[in-house]
Amino acid sequence: MTSVFLRCFDEKCGARYPVTEVRPECACGNLLEACYEWPNFDPAVAKRTWSARKTSRDPRDLSGVWRFREMIPFLPSDAPVITMREGNTPLIEAARAAEYAGLEALAFKHQGFNPTGSFKDNGMTTGASQAAALGKHVVACVSTGNTSASLAAYAAYGGLRAVIFIPAGQIASGKLAQALEYGALTIQVQANFDVTWKIVFHLVEQAGIYLLNSVNPFRVEGQKTIVVEMMEQLGWEVPDWIVLPGGNLGNSSAFGKGLREMKQLGLIARLPRMAVIQAEGSAPLYQLIRRAAAEGRPPWEIGLQPVESPQTLATAIRIGSPASWKKALREIEATRGVCEAVSEQEIADAKAVIGLSGIGCEPASAATLAGIRKLVSRNVIGKSDRVVAVLTGNLLKDPGYTLAYHEGTLSLPQEGKAMPIEPGFPNRPISVPPDAAQIQRLLESRTR
Ligand code: F0G
């Protein structure tokens, strides 16, 4: 029997709670995490079991999250799960993107292949299943878009009521459209994500509504299976680097936890290094780590200074006061990782290069390639290092951004003026009259 409990993330506190306890944080104010004691875990048996499940038709085995359920054993084994075959996302080699970054090879793990088009589904299946197991009927989140789309879908599918809080006018159209279509009570707050979060966090709890943001430890459990599936796809050969975008920093926390646990259980021989990439205008963790290095002090001693008015066109990661910064910092330290920041121009062009590789992603995801390029140019990542970048969301989430980039009208509003983005890889549509000769000339000039 595996024993399961919730524990305060802060080792100095270390308070424990039963896994059925409903509380958004520890009594001391730090976040909680799910902990297990795995007395008889055999890594070779686990790998064989997970592999054999690929031919099973059990809904849990068809899920790329629950297939690895020995890694996330927080539910009783007979508890139903709310699953839509999430996970199962491909690892795709991208030669063109590798060349752009200055690497010999680069693989993308594309979480945009999930049911609602983002990595949030990996954590929502576990979070929503725990909500149902606890007898909760109403679930809520504050979101920059993807969490709300995912929550809306999983709640609808599982027969729960979803309430979503989003910063008005600051989420991509594809994500808002999803939430509306899946029937979530959609509340647009006229403020940014951080302000909305501060207002809603305790209010939701007091209303008896179950909060499914990534501060929820069961969301983290599902998201950590992204790296488990990745290692399986790599034949359990650990890459040198895993690179991902950072916003509220739940995913960085989840990846680090998953990697440490896989090492502890003997599934992998060593830890890869983790590189978390933030957008320059919304980069509080990057700024903290840089300041700590400059002052020769531990970042813990300084503490995170929130970015008051975070800016970036990668709206998914427009967050100035990330809830999981302490967890993410611990994981960066545990993996000897780094945190980098990239500009709007760098994100936009990296996104276009991912598109030209035939892969495509939403803006926040492209921060990975922009960050890798920067880290390679600084010799932090070696050109023959083995690197996996996680594309967190689908290209179709934010069509407005992509169209504006290719049309040359993309710009970041800044203190009254607009900061234009010059597309390095534009692909403007060409308008023609219904004239065969003209179309023929066009084809001759453009397809040679
Ligand atoms: N990429 C995408 C596409 C996202 O939607 C998010 C976060 C991130 C990266 C960053 O992940 O927050 O775990 O560091 N989106 C959240 C949301 C905040 O509400 O959908 P993180």
Side-chain angles (χ1 to χ4, degrees), residues 8 10 13 17 23-32 201 323 326:
C8 178
D10 183 358
C13 169
Y17 304 91
R23 48 163 58 243
E25 57 190 11
C26 180
C28 77
N30 277 299
L31 297 181
L32 296 168
F201 181 59
K326 287 185 185 169

Side-chain angles (χ1 to χ4, degrees), residues 119-120 143-144 146-147 245-251 316-317 319 362 364 392:
F119 74 98
K120 304 290 181 181
S143 175
T144 57
N146 279 322
T147 303
N248 216 16
L249 298 172
N251 211 26
I317 52 173
I319 294 178
E362 69 163 279
T392 43

